[in-house]
Every structure is written in structure tokens, then in C-alpha cells.
Amino acid sequence: MPIQEKKKIKKEEKETLAPKGMCDLLPKDGDLWKEIGRAVFGVAELHNFHFMETPVIERAEFFETKQNKEHGTEKHLYFVKGKGEHLALRPDYNLPFLRGYIDHHLGYFASPLKVFSYGQVFSIKHSNEHEKNISREWVFHVIGDNDPIYDVEIIHATLEVMKTLKIKDVSLHININGCRTCRGAYREKIKSFAGSKKGELCGQCVRGHEKDPFLFLECVSEKCIGAKKDAPTVLDFLCQSCNNYFKNLLELIEDNGILYELTPSLIRKSEGSNRLAFSVRSGGVELALGGRYDYLSEIAFKKQIAAAGVSLYVDRIIPLIQAQGNQILAKQKHKVFFIVVGDQAKKASVRLMHQLRSSGIVTMEALGKKSLKMQLKAAEKAKAPVSVLLGQKEVFEETAIVRDMDTGAQETVTFDGLVEGVRKKLKS
Ligand SMILES: [Zn+2]
Ligand SMILES: [Zn+2]
């Protein structure tokens, strides 16, 4: 390909080669991605959550419920053509987990089923051009039980992941969304309240409040924040059963010493959701969102299965950790950078690097860069505390130079003594 054409593609890469609203997770963020995964695996193991993976696509009909059509939720789905099947990319994990639970009779094996997973979910954001249509998530779900004990367990697991990741200023926000019995009356009340405040709402909420009365409760525009100050709260509308549930839940949360804020703007609108809605935030960023969806299975599969879950948003947690200057990566294994000069040294390095790695020493290299200067630069950038240098002379003598990158102190070791020499330098 002519160079000019190559350049052109590179320039456009940012805007056009990926589908709209999609983004890549890049190698520079890979270490943090791993750290989040480690935290989740650790918490999942302690809480006895089992790993489960479902396909990214499901049969579209399960998402195309009457209510989804009415509320326009359907417009957010990515539809995919299958072999004679009408499919959709999963917009979340709720439905796929329930589908798997039913398909494999998982209720017989565990009661309730506690699962965790990692993957991408897709939904088309029409309202905000800057929002991404893809989300990378770690999720915890409990399926087959509606006891608030499991709601608290999911909240606990989420907070423990944040704590393991040393995220600062974490806050837990909780709201209750009622049930079929009590939600309707609240919705009507909010609708008439929004109508009475029409003059004070932002443009978007004035247009949208008839169709979606809860819109202005979630709205973050200054106008709407002012208008919703004395909005009726859901607590006054809860039925007896939701009231008991909420009382039990808050008791459990308080017994466990978990701090929370009641947050009326936390509304989960889908017909499948009920009762608990919670969000974990830091510095105004929503890092995790969860709650109950006891009705979803009945709507999609005509089977009553209680369920609750939470999504932890990897694409938001990574930049937040970076912005907080968090030292979570500092405890990583000690690393060695291997530097070679000349073809003979390059050849010999393969066996020597394998020796180091077999001994559990993380070994990096930049063999694509020919000059010593460039490789040293790469070693500095990688922040490796120790480097190994190998040139023509060393290969001939079957020795290598082990160098402390901070002090510059270096010594020559034999090939056989390399692992030991590196270990010694790493310790000092
Ligand atoms: Zn209720
Ligand atoms: Zn608004």
C-alpha cells in the first residue's frame, strides 16, 4: 500500500473505522483491566458466585415485549440477521442469564443461583451523541430468590470490588421502585406534579414528561434539579409488601454498617424491574448500577423467577482509577527489561528470556527497536527496575550484564547464573 494511503487510514482511524459509538479497550489500560478482573474474581470466590457466560446475541423476540415497544426501548436494540432467526445483541445480562437458567434447569442445582460474568453489552444511545453504544461490564447476579439478603449480598460484593481497587469517595445510593401494585399510583402522581411544574422544567423534560413522567427526576439540568426538590417521594406510595421489603432491606444494610443515601432520582423504568435500585458512585461518576428484576422472566418467558443483579462499568472505572492517582498497580510483580544489541544477541535472548519467565520473572523486551538507545528508552518507559543487556561480546563469552535502572550499578553474570543474578538485583 502506498505510504500516503496508509497515512490517510491512520488519520481517519479515530473517527470512522469502528462502528458508531463503539470504542476499543487499549493495551495501555490492560493492566488496570486485569486488576479489576482480579478484584472481581477474588470477591466472587469469597461469596461463592460461579462464572457463567452467555452469547452476545439472543433471540430478538424476548426483548420485543409490548411494553418495550410502547416505551421505545426497542429502538435501542442492535438487531442481527441470523440463519433464519431474528436476533439482537444483548443490551444487558438480565435476560440472557434468565434464559440460561431456564434452558439448563439451573434452579435444580442451586437455590438460588449465584453467577458472575464479564462481557460487552450494546444499546444505541439516540439522545447523546457522545455516549458510547457499548459497555464493558463485570456483573454479579442472584437468580431464583427474592430475599433482600441477596440484594445486600450483591451490594456488598460491589462495594468490596471498589474497596479492593482502592477507589476513593465511594458512595452507595439506594431507592425503591415499588411493584406492580404500588408503582402505578406513584407514576400518576409524578406525572401530575411534573405537569404542574412545567414552567420550571428544562426543554427536554417539558417535551418528554407526558410519555415518561420519571424523566425529570433523573434530569441533571439545573432547572429540573430545582423543580424536583419538593417532588412526592415513592415512600409515601409503597404497598404493604414493598414497605416490609424495604424495612428489611434497610435493616440489613444498617446492621452491616453500610452507609447509604436514599436517592429518589434512581429510577429503573423497565417493566421487568421492581423494588431495589442502587448505584455506586465516586466523584459524580456512576461506577455500578443494580437492582431487582423479578418480573422480567414472566414477561419474556412466562415463568416466574425472582432475580437481582448489578453491572460494574469497566469503561468508567479505569479512567476514574487513573484520575484518582490510585497506586493499585504499584504492587505489581517486579519486572525485567531485556535489551539486545546485534543479531547474535537477539537469537540468544530467546532462550535466556524463556529461562527468566520460567522462573516466574516478568520479562519485557522491545526487540523491534534496533538501537541500544531506543531500547533503553523503552525500558525506562516500562518502569522496569532491572534490565539485562546482551551484546556481541557477551554472547561470545556466554555472559550478560544485569543493571539496576535506578542507580545504574551493573554486574556481569554467566548465562547459567542469570536468573540468580536478576533475582539478587530485584531484591536490592
Ligand atoms: Zn408494592
Ligand atoms: Zn430536565
Side-chain angles (χ1 to χ4, degrees):
M1 188 190 292
I3 290 174
Q4 212 139 27
E5 239 172 85
K6 250 190 190 168
K7 263 190 188 161
K8 206 171 144 201
I9 286 189
K10 210 167 180 195
K11 208 175 159 200
E12 284 172 358
E13 216 163 35
K14 275 187 179 151
E15 292 130 10
T16 58
L17 286 186
K20 251 188 201 155
M22 295 296 152
C23 62
D24 301 306
L25 196 142
L26 297 173
K28 70 178 174 59
D29 297 327
D31 283 343
L32 276 177
W33 182 89
K34 267 192 286 184
E35 214 54 49
I36 298 171
R38 270 194 203 115
V40 171
F41 273 101
V43 169
E45 195 163 359
L46 287 173
H47 285 258
N48 198 31
F49 279 90
H50 302 280
F51 190 76
M52 173 167 168
E53 195 178 55
T54 66
V56 217
I57 45 176
E58 294 286 341
R59 277 155 64 178
E61 65 196 270
F62 298 132
F63 298 105
E64 295 175 303
T65 58
K66 186 166 155 269
Q67 191 247 11
N68 276 353
K69 278 181 183 160
E70 275 170 16
H71 282 215
T73 323
E74 216 196 12
K75 280 188 286 193
H76 300 287
L77 288 174
Y78 277 95
F79 291 110
V80 182
K81 262 192 221 155
K83 280 185 186 170
E85 280 180 307
H86 179 40
L87 306 169
L89 292 182
R90 63 180 173 210
D92 56 41
Y93 272 92
N94 303 356
L95 192 132
F97 274 159
L98 286 171
R99 201 257 318 128
Y101 184 88
I102 295 168
D103 272 350
H104 307 285
H105 311 285
L106 296 179
Y108 289 110
F109 302 107
S111 181
L113 175 73
K114 290 161 67 176
V115 282
F116 76 108
S117 196
Y118 170 81
Q120 306 174 353
V121 301
F122 303 88
S123 93
I124 304 169
K125 308 277 188 326
H126 296 285
S127 52
N128 189 342
E129 280 296 309
H130 304 292
E131 253 191 294
K132 295 281 176 263
N133 296 334
I134 178 176
S135 170
R136 295 180 173 82
E137 304 182 350
W138 281 100
V139 297
F140 293 103
H141 283 244
V142 175
I143 301 165
D145 204 319
N146 65 1
D147 194 310
I149 278 189
Y150 291 111
D151 300 23
V152 175
E153 180 155 18
I154 288 171
I155 291 172
H156 246 152
T158 309
L159 292 174
E160 276 164 42
V161 171
M162 302 301 166
K163 194 174 157 199
T164 312
L165 293 171
K166 300 195 170 89
I167 293 173
K168 297 169 198 157
D169 307 319
V170 171
S171 58
L172 169 67
H173 300 259
I174 284 186
N175 194 25
I176 179 155
N177 287 178
C179 67
R180 278 173 183 159
T181 311
C182 54
R183 189 159 48 188
Y186 180 55
R187 190 186 146 91
E188 284 312 306
K189 187 77 192 170
I190 285 292
K191 197 171 169 179
S192 66
F193 178 82
S196 74
K197 292 269 177 181
K198 228 169 164 177
E200 298 168 39
L201 302 183
C202 79
Q204 201 189 345
C205 293
V206 171
R207 287 189 297 276
H209 86 276
E210 283 282 342
K211 202 170 172 195
D212 179 1
F214 295 125
L215 193 64
F216 88 101
L217 283 184
E218 301 167 307
C219 184
V220 289
S221 82
E222 250 172 64
K223 277 182 154 181
C224 292
I225 288 176
K228 67 186 166 195
K229 266 191 188 127
D230 44 341
T233 116
V234 68
L235 301 180
D236 296 330
F237 292 84
L238 294 183
C239 66
Q240 192 59 44
S241 150
C242 284
N243 234 326
N244 290 341
Y245 160 84
F246 202 38
K247 219 180 109 226
N248 284 338
L249 177 80
L250 293 187
E251 256 173 37
L252 282 168
I253 288 179
E254 282 161 19
D255 280 353
N256 281 280
I258 303 171
L259 299 176
Y260 67 94
E261 276 174 51
L262 268 188
T263 307
S265 59
L266 204 53
I267 305 282
R268 297 172 86 233
K269 282 176 280 195
S270 86
E271 199 189 3
S273 316
N274 63 324
R275 294 196 167 157
L276 175 68
F278 76 93
S279 143
V280 171
R281 302 173 192 170
S282 170
V285 182
E286 186 159 77
L287 303 178
L289 185 65
R292 293 221 134 258
Y293 53 100
D294 292 335
Y295 296 140
L296 183 62
S297 174
E298 194 193 318
I299 294 165
F301 307 113
K302 312 270 179 281
K303 281 182 199 310
Q304 276 188 0
I305 301 167
V310 63
S311 300
L312 283 69
Y313 303 127
V314 172
D315 298 304
R316 296 183 194 170
I317 296 173
I318 289 177
L320 185 92
I321 289 178
Q322 287 161 340
Q324 290 189 342
N326 176 323
Q327 292 301 304
I328 187 79
L329 292 180
K331 62 168 180 161
Q332 279 201 341
K333 269 192 184 174
H334 281 152
K335 294 173 180 171
V336 169
F337 206 99
F338 214 102
I339 295 168
V340 300
V341 182
D343 288 340
Q344 292 299 322
K346 194 171 180 178
K347 251 187 188 164
S349 71
V350 178
R351 182 166 62 89
L352 295 173
M353 285 195 289
H354 181 68
Q355 258 178 35
L356 289 169
R357 288 168 178 152
S358 303
S359 311
I361 298 168
V362 178
T363 308
M364 299 177 287
E365 85 306 308
L367 298 182
K369 296 195 194 303
K370 288 216 163 55
S371 81
L372 176 65
K373 203 175 147 198
M374 294 290 274
Q375 291 182 56
L376 275 168
K377 244 189 189 162
E380 262 169 51
K381 213 173 155 195
K383 294 194 179 100
V386 171
S387 64
V388 173
L389 286 93
L390 200 63
Q392 299 287 67
K393 179 172 163 281
E394 283 76 22
V395 175
F396 183 70
E397 292 172 355
E398 301 210 343
T399 59
I401 298 167
V402 181
R403 179 189 171 105
D404 183 316
M405 293 296 280
D406 286 334
T407 64
Q410 55 185 45
E411 52 193 274
T412 303
V413 297
T414 63
F415 280 2
D416 288 340
L418 179 64
V419 170
E420 203 185 323
V422 165
R423 281 220 174 101
K424 233 166 86 187
K425 266 278 180 290
L426 282 171
K427 268 183 200 151
S428 68

